[in-house]
Amino acid sequence: MNKVYLLLSFFLLGILQANSQETRKDILFDNDWKFFRGDVKGAELVSFNDAAWRSLNVPHDWSIEGPYDRGNATGRGGGYLPCGIGWYRKTFSLDEKEYKKQVFIEFDGIMANSEVWINGHFLGERPNGYISFQYELSHYLNFGKNKNNVLAVKADNSVQPASRWYTGAGIYRHVHMVLVNPVHVSYNGSFVYASSANKEKSLLQIQTAVINEESSLKKVVVKADIISPSGEIIAKSSSTQTIAAHHEETFLQQVDVVRPVLWDIEHPQLYTALISVWIDDKKIDEIRFLFGIRDAHFEAATGFWLNGKNIKLKGVCMHHDGGAVGAAVPLGVYERRLELLKSVGVNAIRTSHNETSPEFLSLCDKMGLLVMDETFDTWTARKSSAENGYNLYFNDWWEKDTKAIIMRDRNHPSIVIYSIGNEIHDNLDDSSGFRKYRMQQDLVHALDPSRPVTMALFRPALSHVYENGFAQTMDIVGQNYRENELIAAHEKHPEWKVIGTENRHEQSAWMALRDKPYMAGQFLWTGFDYLGEADWPKIANASGLFDKTGGPRDIAFQRTSWWSDKPVLHVMRKEQNAGAGDWISDWSPTDIDTYDEARVQAFSNCDEVELFLNGKSVGVRQRPDDNASPRVWSFPFEKGTLKAVARNKGKVVAEQALTTAGKPAKIKLTADKASIENKWDDVVYVTATVTDENGEPCLNADNKIKFSCSGAGDLIAVDNADVSSGEPYQVKERWAYKGKCIAIVKANAASGIITVSATADQLQSGAVSVSVK
């Protein structure tokens, strides 16, 4: 019996081996690069000696290492950080058994004007630093033991000014090596979308492009399995085609999903598509990716709809930098930023004004954020502070770059609309402007028929796009600022679908969205402060709801009072006497002796707000008639505690207190999470707050804070919220700004404890610990 069982086992194993073949390998290629800042003759050659070069891992942004200098050619757009040429080299070997594979290198982004070589053979160039792309290496590789290969990359952003905001420099996103069989799914070649979707049933359209690089015709079967969020296979499809040698064919399939779990902003449920390629009953390729099932569309009279619900897009614009980490942004930085934005009511992101990283979009999918996916800031006409930007390359590269963006991004359910331009300065009042728009929109529709296209129109009264027929060609009419112009245009053309693509924080902008049902949404400029687009000595733009360290501005609380269904209360005072200066949230004037008259306002969505100064009421303010304006008070200042109490129907629903701080006495450290993982994308933010003896924050403190990190982690950057601070980031000390600064920490071991400490002259030190899991 045992002998029979053994023979049967060998027989079954033989069947399995006969019907299986190694499909594809996707290898993260981030580690063990060599880097040199500057140009070097012959660095692409295998024989070049890079032993003296710096060893590092990518993603890597060398520009953020500084120094800041007013004379740097990047100027106000690039935040006065350095530009130039950077070289990267990586030496690797491949097993001899891989020689029949096709080998590709995939870059998620190289800033900018990249050139790539393998073993001295030139593979190609890519001007646009935001684009993801691949090259085939197969024909130039060495396989086998002790046979090395050298991948060389040159990144060049020396021609400036090239951008109106900070771009970074180098291989600043992830790199992958992919090995496949000669018959395989093409790069970004599979697409799944719902042509109809409701709670009862969804019809999925599945497109898969398969390329045959064999020397003979092949009969190919493509199988598609749809896996539910709970992990069950709930739909299958199979189709067969014959593919000629060195040709590509697209397989079209349809499947029904009964009672689908719909993706939405509250429950962002994700399905998995498992696409496999078979020849003669052997699986030769397989890919899997996440997607969502949802019905998202725009209507002219009522704006945006998601799964039968009418939703306002309460959006913000975001540039790609992560503050102190520059353009090489760990996913943990983005995750923290998106969590903060969601906490104040944001439900949508505009990727201004370029292709973002693939993992950023995956994060939006996971967190339930809607996305306007934007392609370009310029077409052919140049812009100030970016005269040497993409305008130099648009004619030659727009089609290839647009195709790369749409094909890479189209499986993300978070994306509900594409934008193909921001404040384009090309002439939109002649046939050439019409043609440029139409050719891009048509290409997007061909690659993704499931989403509409817009662009952020610039001063339409001057470009005449509302009168000359241009706006009629747009799927959705988008406009930056000047909400009244867009309102007037829609009321003249009620058949137009309209959206605010970029908007200020003012109350009037919000009321235009709130009070006009046809306004689909708005995107505030911006969600976070960003590097660049600032005049020296400023190095960052302070337009965010949050500063670059993640600290909320008062306008963030104002938005929350408009956007949130929960009780909101936030109190602030004028910084200087009798209503002068900025609004700040403390009760500690810099010069108490001259601060006589306090001007106070409160953002709230509650019925009434009452203020108490040292226990005595200074007045009640009812909900304003417009249900948006702040409540205001003016009264003599006294040291002590200002307390605000908000009520709905007479019941207390929110309270806030501001207390006069004493002299700075100690440092309080807090970590934004209790544990992290030992991987490149995970970080912890440690905030140092200067307080008095009682723990009250001293927002006027500007002590120099010195950080140290011990145990299972490293300090990778420090920062504060001051947009005029040109201090370096890769150091261990920072001046407190408004009483605070931050340190960003990563793990360097698989487990253990990270302890961060902070000291300053004449202050009691602080410490905090984080575990590595």
Side-chain angles (χ1 to χ4, degrees), residues 568-629:
V568 174
L569 174 63
H570 183 71
V571 180
M572 65 214 81
R573 66 173 177 89
K574 277 293 189 175
E575 186 176 16
Q576 299 173 27
N577 186 49
D582 296 328
W583 291 104
I584 59 173
S585 293
D586 79 347
W587 203 241
S588 305
T590 304
D591 187 353
I592 287 180
D593 293 335
T594 62
Y595 197 86
D596 302 320
E597 182 185 350
R599 298 281 178 88
V600 176
Q601 70 175 8
F603 297 137
S604 182
N605 56 3
C606 301
D607 291 343
E608 65 178 32
V609 177
E610 185 171 9
L611 287 189
F612 297 87
L613 180 57
N614 296 325
K616 297 179 182 179
S617 176
V618 292
V620 178
R621 300 291 184 267
Q622 302 297 324
R623 186 190 300 271
D625 292 340
D626 61 13
N627 198 22
S629 298

Side-chain angles (χ1 to χ4, degrees), residues 141-156:
L141 291 172
N142 303 311
F143 296 87
K145 190 176 182 180
N146 300 322
K147 292 184 179 180
N148 287 334
N149 300 278
V150 176
L151 182 66
V153 177
K154 179 183 179 182
D156 182 0

Side-chain angles (χ1 to χ4, degrees), residues 10-22 278-284:
F10 278 123
F11 176 71
L12 291 173
L13 179 62
I15 291 176
L16 289 172
Q17 289 175 338
N19 289 328
S20 66
Q21 183 174 343
E22 186 177 62
W278 299 72
I279 297 178
D280 297 331
D281 293 327
K282 294 180 180 178
K283 183 168 65 176
I284 58 171

